[in-house]
Amino acid sequence: MTQAGNTIGKVVGINGNLVSVEVTQGADVLQNEVAYVDLEGIKLKSEVIKVQDRICHLQVFEDTRGIRVGMPVEFTGEMLVVELAPGVLNNIYDGLQNPLKELDNKNGFFLKRGQYLPAISLKKKWRFHPTAKPGEVVRAGSWLGWVPEQHFKHRIMAPFGMLGTATVESVVPEGDYEVRDTVAVLTDDQGHKINVTMYQTWPVKKAIKAYKQRLYPEEQLVTACRIIDTMFPVGRGGVACIPGPFGAGKTVLQHLLSKFAQVDIVIVVACGERAGEVVELIYEFPEMDDPKTGGKLMERTIIICNTSSMPVAARDASIYTGVTLGEYYRQMGYDVLVLADSTSRWAQAMREMSGRLEEIPGEEAFPAYLESRVANIYERAGLVELQNGDNGAVTLIGTVSPAGGNFEEPVTQATLKVVGAFLGLSRSRSDQRRFPAIDPLDSWSLYLDQLKDSLDRDLDPHWVEMVTHASSTLRRSSEVSKMMTVVGEEGISIGDLVTYLKGEMLDMAYLQQNAFDDVDAATPMKRQVRDFKLLYEAMSADFDFETKLQARQFFAELQDAFYQKNYVAEDSEDYRKYEEQIRKMLQEGASRV
Amino acid sequence: MFKTYARITNIIGDIAELDAPGVAYGELAHIVNTNGESSLAQVIRIDRDKISLQVFAGAKGLSTHSKVRFLGHPMEVPFADAMLGRIFNGSGLPIDGKPPMDDAPEVEIAGPSVNPVMRVIPQNFIETRIPMIDVFNPLVESQKLPIFSSAGEPYNELLARVGLQAHADVIILGGIGLKFDEYILFRKSFEEGGVMDRTVMFVHTAADPVVERLLVPDLALAVAERFGIEGKRVLVLLTDMTAFADALKEISVAMEQVPSNLGYPGSLYSDLASRYEKAVDFEGAGSITILAVTTMPGNDVTHPVPDNTGYITEGQYYLNNGVIHPFGSLSRLKQLVIGKVTREDHGAVMNAMIRLYAKALESKKKISMGFEKTETDERYLKYADLFEARFMDLRVDTPLNDALDRGWQTMAECFSRREVGIKKDLLETYWPKSADSSDEAADDDEEGKANAAG
Ligand SMILES: Nc1ncnc2c1ncn2[C@@H]1O[C@H](COP(=O)(O)OP(=O)(O)OP(=O)(O)O)[C@@H](O)[C@H]1O
Ligand SMILES: [Mg+2]
């Protein structure tokens, strides 16, 4: 670990988790390299974040209590990395990829500082299946073989840092190997031999780009949340944000996505939020079935957790760690969903550091580089074509916790510039218990347009047109509702009332979804199409009511039928009965015209 | 062995600076002023030999020739069972006239976080006998919940009452910027309520130095944590966390930090979270539940202190006009206990009563706008009055099951079975028999719709 860095220094200043170090031996310091502050034998992991002549400033990933001027500091010459190898799935890590379950055996209730463990077992043997042949020409990221990890083929790849091409010299035969055993030997353009193991490391702040090219997202990522999939779809390989005031339902929504989104692998980054929320996942996921693999949900999941009372600098690292792991599985051709809750806490960690570095503050004291950092992290998502022509995707959905629930603040604004979908939660909807509280009037998705071809092809030839029409009805319905608060129901026409009722019906019986009901919590896309088309039929029908009372009664009954239908399984007799009842009501309603 | 220094070079706000080599970050110092007064101070910044000390007693009247002695360890607090029944100030010194805790072992304050995998999912209901809490937003063991309140509301009375009635093994009060009268109120009610012998109080009053406020939550929570590890169910009451946040603001201004919002430091969220996250249910041991008061300056919930608090805690109780408000209040852990450890009808009663009250308020509004009052409105108005008197009035003091029974009773006095939107099987068990005369044969087939309409 230290061959490269014989650079040594000593502490000259401490301010919170910022420690200033004077370099006393060697001279080569890398920006963002890892250093260890030696506190009487406890080595505190840190990252160089600013170099000023012979003084380096480190952000320490631990509590800095007890550090004194003069204490030695070792520089490692390596940037902050994640460990990439089979065995990463089904783990709960802290922001620096320490396995929390292993720490637990060692340390009891509390997280002691200076304890770092390998992210995966180095001793475990994996069944390696070679796929590359000697003589084959490969590049960084080319697949050489695989081992079974949970329900997946975990690809063993040519090192991501390799430049140019290389030729496969040899590959070991099928057999059981530890992650650091050599499984293949390559020769690069210069004739150097490269021993490939199942283990590599990668700097978290650098994107893994060992693929042929990035592709434009053309397909939808199905989340099983109706308002998202139907109204504000997210592309596979796309990026979306969920801003909302406290208690509006960001975390509940993210947990739903982590359970029901139709992807291969889910990485949940709990960044600066409550520990209790992670505990729920830790207890639930190992019990819940993953319909896609037939295994348990946890087996396709990685939880990265740096909760709000854990050291702030490691919070900054946690999102990078999550995204890098996502990129790793993308290289194997998987569809990965990375969920970050909350990116605001990550931005605040940045702000705290920037303040200690006495950088010129921008709006609300956030550093001037806030926007570029936000853009940079979201840019790491994407759909890519791999070296072998397959593709893989990282979809990134982050929550934002705006101060005072006001979306005009810097983090929300910086995020809005880079995401493809904005799923804004509103206080008024959560107060009315209209969950998920995604505001159907404020939110938007660029993917509805971008994915039009595939949506119209896969769902219904008129899908996007129907959705667009439904949202304009919703808008008009809301206008009528505002009007009614001023002039009362007496002051509007029956036609307007019907528009209002149609919008309400769409909202109450389709956009809202009960997270705590077994059936309603997740709606597969096929069912969404069926449900939505029937609802759309009702919304586009012309009705001619004689009285407003008649209109209200008709819609109350119709809405209730749609609503009840949400709670019954699609293959049930009840479902069919509700559909029939709705059809009959529509015919009767229409025949009055 | 620990050197004494006698030359303070700079004093800014409550921060004193001096040259002292070899001091550790976070170390505690003891300062004796030339007039003989003394204070503890903590190292909050080191720049080579220059040490910045946060002086807990404040730097007013501090002489540059004060004697500063470093103690070689960070801030600690004594911990022993003998602390029960005792009262300490914001520096951890006794103020109840009894001797100091000299023999008790000292424990670190503001220690490391609990490993998330060592927590368990909370599952115990804490009965407070306050219907707006127990019925509508029950408090769950290991939850962290603030009371959002404006000045002048009876939040401390409410806090004291929960302390008295919650049946915790240990109660720890952290008073931050308390008025003297409020301090006496807590002491008296705990003494009279007979819980003083399982209470530890850390009290910083408004007359004490501002910086000392900063220590109160940490002292209280460090002691709570020790009791928790020993298997005790600890209830921590913190009031007023806005005063704590204001002290953070003063320090950050003195340190010339760039404020993020209304002068508060950018770290406000983390500073509050590191305290509130001490709430925990330890696997195989005790628990810490935190009930705090956050006063809202200008009664504005978007003010940085309540706003950041809301992002940290597991819900909030809004105390407004002397009542806990049914709508904005939320216990985010309630689904873990409702109907699971409480009675099966709890969830249904809670939802139905809130829904009916919301409708009642709509009726009120409609009538106040000059629309005609219908017979239905009359019944909703009656319901609103009963609801306010029997549930919202803070003087009501009743066990949960009685409150639930009274909920059925109240609904039955105003509505028929089919108007309340409750599942049939529950109605059959709980709907008061005496109340059914006219609508005995409630159309059962309509109930599904009543449910859905809600
Ligand atoms: N889809 C939903 N269905 C039912 N209830 C919900 C739903 N979403 C949220 N809630 C309710 O709102 C509460 C708060 O939700 P959640 O914890 O997701 O908020 P949040 O936006 O993450 O808040 P914070 O920013 O403070 O973390 C939940 O405890 C639950 O009572
Ligand atoms: Mg949340």
Side-chain angles (χ1 to χ4, degrees):
Chain A
M1 202 186 231
T2 44
Q3 324 95 318
N6 50 0
T7 304
I8 290 180
K10 65 175 197 331
V11 173
V12 295
I14 307 123
N15 176 13
N17 66 338
L18 179 76
V19 167
S20 309
V21 176
E22 189 174 58
V23 176
T24 52
Q25 186 188 331
D28 193 13
V29 175
L30 309 178
Q31 170 75 334
N32 297 115
E33 81 170 282
V34 172
Y36 288 88
V37 178
D38 186 343
L39 196 168
E40 289 154 3
I42 307 171
K43 303 253 164 102
L44 304 181
K45 197 170 188 171
S46 323
E47 180 186 11
V48 175
I49 52 167
K50 185 173 168 183
V51 183
Q52 263 179 324
D53 209 354
R54 292 197 68 78
I55 303 290
C56 305
H57 300 280
L58 314 184
Q59 62 170 341
V60 182
F61 295 121
E62 308 269 12
D63 186 1
T64 52
R65 238 179 293 179
I67 299 182
R68 294 167 204 268
V69 167
M71 282 183 168
V73 177
E74 285 165 34
F75 293 81
T76 64
E78 284 181 8
M79 305 224 279
L80 183 68
V81 296
V82 285
E83 297 177 271
L84 304 172
V88 173
L89 290 178
N90 195 9
N91 258 307
I92 302 151
Y93 291 123
D94 74 2
L96 303 174
Q97 214 194 0
N98 280 298
L100 288 171
K101 284 231 158 119
E102 316 301 323
L103 284 181
D104 124 32
N105 303 330
K106 288 198 153 62
N107 292 336
F109 287 127
F110 298 97
L111 292 168
K112 298 228 169 61
R113 44 182 186 169
Q115 303 268 356
Y116 311 109
L117 293 176
I120 39 105
S121 159
L122 300 172
K123 287 278 160 275
K124 184 173 169 175
K125 286 206 188 311
W126 297 88
R127 187 88 189 160
F128 177 76
H129 302 258
T131 52
K133 301 269 179 309
E136 216 176 293
V137 175
V138 296
R139 293 175 167 275
S142 293
W143 299 352
L144 307 174
W146 59 273
V147 301
E149 181 190 13
Q150 307 295 350
H151 308 276
F152 303 93
K153 281 185 176 171
H154 185 113
R155 303 290 173 178
I156 306 304
M157 295 171 273
F160 299 141
M162 206 173 80
L163 301 172
T165 58
T167 312
V168 177
E169 197 83 354
S170 62
V171 186
V172 296
E174 182 178 333
D176 296 324
Y177 303 91
E178 290 178 7
V179 292
R180 286 189 298 192
D181 291 340
T182 298
V183 291
V185 179
L186 314 177
T187 315
D188 73 6
D189 294 342
Q190 271 80 48
H192 299 126
K193 289 223 182 311
I194 302 168
N195 286 332
V196 181
T197 68
M198 299 190 242
Y199 173 97
Q200 52 179 319
T201 58
W202 188 259
V204 292
K205 292 194 178 160
K206 252 169 94 172
I208 299 176
K209 291 191 169 166
Y211 48 76
K212 230 183 242 164
Q213 58 170 332
R214 263 190 75 167
L215 302 171
Y216 190 66
E218 278 171 355
E219 276 175 31
Q220 171 174 32
L221 180 144
V222 175
T223 65
C225 171
R226 290 189 292 259
I227 183 169
I228 297 181
D229 294 343
T230 302
M231 308 298 285
F232 309 109
V234 176
R236 179 169 165 261
V239 283
C241 69
I242 308 175
F246 67 76
K250 299 180 290 297
T251 306
V252 170
L253 184 55
Q254 283 233 345
H255 284 190
L256 287 170
L257 300 181
S258 69
K259 287 174 194 162
F260 301 119
Q262 288 171 18
V263 294
D264 298 312
I265 286 163
V266 175
I267 300 176
V268 180
V269 186
C271 172
E273 293 286 305
R274 303 169 187 82
E277 294 168 345
V278 184
V279 178
E280 279 176 35
L281 301 185
I282 296 176
Y283 278 84
E284 270 182 26
F285 276 28
E287 306 296 323
M288 286 182 71
D289 295 321
D290 175 10
K292 201 160 173 178
T293 63
K296 295 294 175 196
L297 220 44
M298 193 61 212
E299 292 158 4
R300 69 152 192 188
T301 308
I302 306 168
I303 298 175
I304 313 245
C305 118
N306 190 271
T307 56
S308 57
S309 64
M310 285 159 79
V312 173
R315 189 195 293 171
D316 174 55
S318 65
I319 291 200
Y320 291 104
T321 300
V323 170
T324 313
L325 291 176
E327 288 171 339
Y328 179 53
Y329 281 95
R330 173 171 72 185
Q331 290 292 143
M332 300 175 208
Y334 293 118
D335 203 351
V336 186
L337 174 62
V338 179
L339 296 164
D341 185 16
S342 152
T343 61
S344 295
R345 307 304 164 216
W346 167 72
Q348 286 176 349
M350 212 181 320
R351 173 169 74 185
E352 282 186 36
M353 220 45 206
S354 161
R356 298 213 174 91
L357 288 170
E358 295 175 3
E359 293 169 341
I360 297 169
E363 215 182 321
E364 290 183 21
F366 283 105
Y369 46 80
L370 172 71
E371 270 194 20
S372 63
R373 293 272 170 95
V374 170
N376 178 278
I377 202 89
Y378 280 99
E379 262 308 290
R380 292 178 66 173
L383 175 70
V384 303
E385 184 187 345
L386 304 174
Q387 307 292 17
N388 67 355
D390 280 10
N391 64 44
V394 169
T395 308
L396 176 57
I397 303 181
T399 66
V400 186
S401 317
N406 177 0
F407 292 171
E408 298 305 312
E409 58 87 46
V411 185
T412 315
Q413 288 303 313
T415 308
L416 283 182
K417 286 186 188 159
V418 293
V419 293
F422 159 66
L423 309 168
L425 306 188
S426 84
R427 167 67 72 220
S428 79
R429 282 182 76 83
S430 72
D431 277 353
Q432 296 171 51
R433 323 300 294 160
R434 295 189 175 214
F435 290 116
I438 296 172
D439 192 318
L441 301 177
D442 278 355
S443 302
W444 46 258
S445 167
L446 304 176
Y447 298 109
L448 190 62
D449 233 23
Q450 187 172 331
L451 310 180
K452 183 172 188 304
D453 291 347
S454 75
L455 293 172
D456 286 349
R457 183 190 64 222
D458 300 340
L459 307 181
D460 182 279
H462 300 288
W463 184 258
V464 175
E465 188 190 317
M466 287 192 290
V467 170
T468 314
H469 186 241
S471 37
S472 70
T473 305
L474 209 56
R475 208 165 289 281
R476 278 185 296 135
S477 163
S478 138
E479 282 158 15
V480 175
S481 154
K482 280 192 200 114
M483 214 147 74
M484 276 196 293
T485 59
V486 184
V487 298
E489 196 175 304
E490 297 78 9
I492 59 164
S493 67
I494 293 194
D496 281 346
L497 180 67
V498 168
T499 305
Y500 164 73
L501 293 170
K502 283 177 173 173
E504 271 295 291
M505 181 169 71
L506 172 63
D507 187 354
M508 300 299 291
Y510 192 81
L511 302 184
Q512 291 173 45
Q513 211 169 335
N514 186 342
F516 304 117
D517 180 82
D518 288 341
V519 175
D520 200 31
T523 312
M525 202 59 213
K526 195 171 121 273
R527 175 169 174 170
Q528 286 187 39
V529 174
R530 183 164 165 187
D531 288 350
F532 181 73
K533 278 165 73 176
L534 186 60
L535 185 71
Y536 184 77
E537 207 179 299
M539 288 178 64
S540 17
D542 285 320
F543 301 104
D544 190 13
F545 298 108
E546 265 150 36
T547 63
K548 287 176 182 161
L549 184 66
Q550 206 181 37
R552 273 197 182 275
Q553 277 167 349
F554 177 81
F555 273 98
E557 224 173 296
L558 186 63
Q559 177 177 319
D560 184 48
F562 275 110
Y563 178 88
Q564 300 291 351
K565 182 160 66 76
N566 290 340
Y567 287 88
V568 297
E570 194 188 355
D571 54 13
S572 68
E573 182 58 22
D574 283 342
Y575 182 90
R576 223 185 33 74
K577 277 207 312 232
Y578 284 123
E579 268 193 344
E580 218 165 83
Q581 184 194 338
I582 290 165
R583 290 235 155 75
K584 213 166 114 230
M585 288 182 68
L586 289 181
Q587 267 163 18
E588 282 164 10
S591 67
R592 276 202 297 253
V593 176
Chain B
M1 123 179 191
F2 296 111
K3 236 182 117 180
T4 301
Y5 298 85
R7 177 92 186 103
I8 292 173
T9 48
N10 300 312
I11 302 173
I12 309 147
D14 291 325
I15 313 279
E17 292 179 346
L18 73 160
D19 283 344
V23 168
Y25 188 70
E27 189 172 335
L28 210 57
H30 189 253
I31 303 185
V32 183
N33 203 346
T34 44
N35 64 8
E37 285 173 3
S38 70
S39 168
L40 288 175
Q42 187 177 21
V43 177
I44 55 168
R45 186 187 283 175
I46 300 179
D47 185 4
R48 293 187 190 261
D49 286 348
K50 197 170 92 189
I51 306 295
S52 305
L53 285 173
Q54 177 177 305
V55 183
F56 291 128
K60 278 203 196 72
L62 187 70
S63 157
T64 53
H65 284 76
S66 303
K67 291 208 163 50
V68 181
R69 187 165 59 91
F70 289 90
L71 303 180
H73 61 79
M75 184 70 189
E76 294 172 332
V77 62
F79 171 71
D81 282 349
M83 293 178 87
L84 295 171
R86 300 289 310 268
I87 306 172
F88 304 88
N89 71 5
S91 291
L93 302 171
I95 50 170
D96 50 5
K98 295 182 205 158
M101 308 280 310
D102 284 339
D103 303 332
E106 302 270 334
V107 297
E108 175 187 33
I109 68 162
S113 341
V114 171
N115 186 339
V117 306
M118 293 303 285
R119 290 171 177 258
V120 288
I121 295 187
Q123 52 189 352
N124 298 322
F125 167 59
I126 297 181
E127 186 165 46
T128 66
R129 301 174 58 96
I130 300 167
M132 291 314 286
I133 295 181
D134 293 351
V135 178
F136 298 102
N137 283 295
L139 183 63
V140 179
E141 188 177 332
S142 88
Q143 190 164 16
K144 39 187 180 287
L145 259 180
I147 298 166
F148 282 175
S149 173
S150 44
E153 296 286 342
Y155 46 82
N156 282 330
E157 285 81 348
L158 180 61
L159 208 60
R161 216 175 120 195
V162 174
L164 278 184
Q165 298 184 166
H167 294 289
D169 296 332
V170 173
I171 302 157
I172 300 191
L173 174 78
I176 308 148
L178 279 189
K179 281 188 223 124
F180 184 75
D181 297 0
E182 294 169 323
Y183 156 50
I184 298 302
L185 166 109
F186 277 109
R187 205 181 67 189
K188 244 180 71 189
S189 40
F190 286 2
E191 277 166 0
E192 284 167 7
V195 300
M196 197 60 202
D197 59 349
R198 34 190 181 98
T199 300
V200 185
M201 290 170 110
F202 291 93
V203 175
H204 166 278
T205 66
D208 297 332
V210 171
V211 197
E212 237 175 41
R213 290 179 188 176
L214 288 175
L215 288 174
V216 173
D218 290 339
L219 295 171
L221 291 163
V223 171
E225 200 158 76
R226 304 314 300 185
F227 279 118
I229 291 168
E230 290 189 350
K232 299 283 198 299
R233 290 155 50 249
V234 187
L235 175 65
V236 178
L237 307 170
L238 298 173
T239 173
D240 166 4
M241 287 299 278
T242 303
F244 169 76
D246 287 342
L248 287 173
K249 173 159 108 176
E250 287 196 21
I251 291 295
S252 105
V253 170
M255 295 286 283
E256 295 176 354
Q257 285 170 5
V258 185
S260 65
N261 208 334
L262 291 188
Y264 292 92
S267 59
L268 181 62
Y269 173 85
S270 302
D271 294 334
L272 290 170
S274 65
R275 275 79 189 188
Y276 280 114
E277 282 281 313
K278 292 276 177 200
V280 61
D281 201 340
F282 288 111
E283 178 153 22
S287 66
I288 300 175
T289 308
I290 302 179
L291 189 64
V293 166
T294 298
T295 50
M296 299 185 289
N299 208 10
D300 174 14
V301 69
T302 68
H303 179 279
V305 179
D307 185 50
N308 278 286
T309 304
Y311 276 116
I312 293 163
T313 52
E314 290 152 338
Q316 64 280 329
Y317 297 131
Y318 277 97
L319 181 64
N320 210 332
N321 297 322
V323 294
I324 297 175
H325 227 264
F327 299 118
S329 301
L330 174 69
S331 160
R332 295 202 200 180
L333 303 187
K334 65 181 171 192
Q335 70 277 6
L336 298 174
V337 296
I338 291 180
K340 292 186 178 149
V341 293
T342 63
R343 220 164 71 183
E344 54 163 356
D345 57 325
H346 187 168
V349 171
M350 169 184 82
N351 287 327
M353 293 199 76
I354 286 287
R355 196 163 51 223
L356 293 168
Y357 187 61
K359 282 200 187 165
L361 293 189
E362 273 173 33
S363 281
K364 267 195 182 169
K365 192 167 150 202
K366 199 181 91 182
I367 292 158
S368 74
M369 282 167 72
F371 292 93
E372 198 180 328
K373 194 193 294 183
T374 65
E375 185 270 340
T376 318
D377 290 330
E378 296 277 10
R379 287 182 301 133
Y380 275 106
L381 293 185
K382 174 176 168 199
Y383 173 77
D385 288 342
L386 290 176
F387 184 80
E388 285 160 15
R390 293 176 180 175
F391 290 85
M392 287 175 65
D393 190 327
L394 269 186
R395 286 168 303 190
V396 179
D397 180 351
T398 177
L400 171 66
N401 285 351
D402 292 357
L404 292 176
D405 291 343
R406 202 186 285 206
W408 287 106
Q409 186 62 42
T410 306
M411 288 190 280
E413 281 173 39
C414 308
F415 307 103
S416 72
R417 283 168 170 238
R418 32 187 291 217
E419 284 172 305
V420 295
I422 292 180
K423 271 199 300 204
K424 190 172 145 200
D425 49 338
L426 289 175
L427 283 172
E428 268 162 15
T429 318
Y430 293 99
W431 192 257
K433 297 287 170 281
S434 56
D436 288 332
S437 44
S438 52
D439 61 30
E440 187 72 59
D443 321 10
D444 289 342
D445 55 344
E446 296 238 340
E447 267 155 28
K449 283 167 203 159
N451 283 335

